[in-house]
Amino acid sequence: MSDVDSSLLKQMFHEARSQNGWSDQPVSDETLAAAYEIAKWGPTSMNTQPMRLLFIRSQEAKERLKPALAPGNVDKVMAAPVVAIVAHDSQFHEHLPRLFPHNPNAPGMFAGNEGLAQATAFRNGTLQGAYFMIALRAVGLDVGPMSGFDPAKVDAEFFAGTTFKSNFLCGIGHGDPAKVMGRLPRFELGEISQTL
């Protein structure tokens, strides 16, 4: 492994941490776009690409988000330069003629099967959210994913009248090292896998 590879792996995984506090260093729209340009190439089943992002940047927008937050996440959200609401489009299949053009029957697989559509949107939107977080780290940013919030409140406040459903929140910026928790343990491969 080259030194460049080793350095990037440290930045993206080995030394990267979920952030609980933030510096006041800004995050540009260009940097967010650069991360998305990396993340968009991550695979999704049938190229469904159901993830949708809403970037919360202004104090006014953060105040709108605040009532939906678990108490432990309020300070993290209010201090983050950007908070992404990572959502998925429950009607993603409407875009399949463009995204999966070699199968003209693809939209019909989901349009008549709400259970399959919802499971596919959630699963692949979650995958894309993970790709996006890793890409944010790759372009030099830190992330702080959060699931402590009321999705129904978020959807009513930000996605009313749309087909989008919130999945998780993610603070984005440059983390404050003083507010990072100690490294928590991880399973070894042999503890969580088997080969048949």
Side-chain angles (χ1 to χ4, degrees):
M1 183 182 302
S2 72
D3 289 341
V4 172
D5 293 339
S6 177
S7 176
L8 192 57
L9 286 174
K10 285 179 182 178
Q11 179 176 322
M12 294 168 62
F13 291 102
H14 299 150
E15 294 179 2
R17 308 301 301 281
S18 292
Q19 299 298 314
N20 294 307
W22 304 96
S23 77
D24 58 5
Q25 187 174 346
V27 173
S28 70
D29 290 341
E30 292 77 15
T31 305
L32 295 174
Y36 179 72
E37 284 300 308
I38 297 167
K40 73 179 185 182
W41 300 111
T44 55
S45 61
M46 295 177 66
N47 200 35
T48 48
Q49 299 180 60
M51 180 182 70
R52 303 295 181 263
L53 297 168
L54 180 60
F55 295 118
I56 303 295
R57 193 187 278 282
S58 71
Q59 189 65 31
E60 177 187 6
K62 289 177 184 176
E63 290 294 339
R64 289 172 58 197
L65 181 58
K66 191 174 181 179
L69 300 173
N73 286 335
V74 171
D75 290 345
K76 290 188 267 189
V77 165
M78 301 309 281
V82 178
V83 176
I85 301 176
V86 181
H88 54 269
D89 184 355
S90 63
Q91 299 299 308
F92 66 89
H93 49 275
E94 293 177 355
H95 302 281
L96 288 179
R98 172 185 171 194
L99 301 176
F100 205 66
H102 59 281
N103 183 349
N105 298 318
M109 292 174 54
F110 299 99
N113 189 336
E114 185 175 348
L116 178 62
Q118 295 310 313
T120 300
F122 179 74
R123 181 181 307 111
N124 289 280
T126 302
L127 281 172
Q128 286 188 284
Y131 302 146
F132 187 57
M133 288 193 296
I134 299 305
L136 288 164
R137 286 176 170 177
V139 299
L141 294 171
D142 294 309
V143 297
M146 295 168 267
S147 59
F149 70 103
D150 185 330
K153 287 183 179 179
V154 169
D155 294 349
E157 182 64 33
F158 293 98
F159 299 133
T162 76
T163 57
F164 301 171
K165 303 291 182 191
S166 57
N167 184 346
F168 65 94
L169 308 178
C170 186
I172 302 169
H174 297 275
D176 178 352
K179 295 185 178 176
V180 173
M181 292 174 55
R183 175 68 86 182
L184 296 172
R186 298 295 195 269
F187 287 117
E188 297 298 328
L189 178 63
E191 297 178 274
I192 56 89
S193 71
Q194 56 181 306
T195 302
L196 301 178

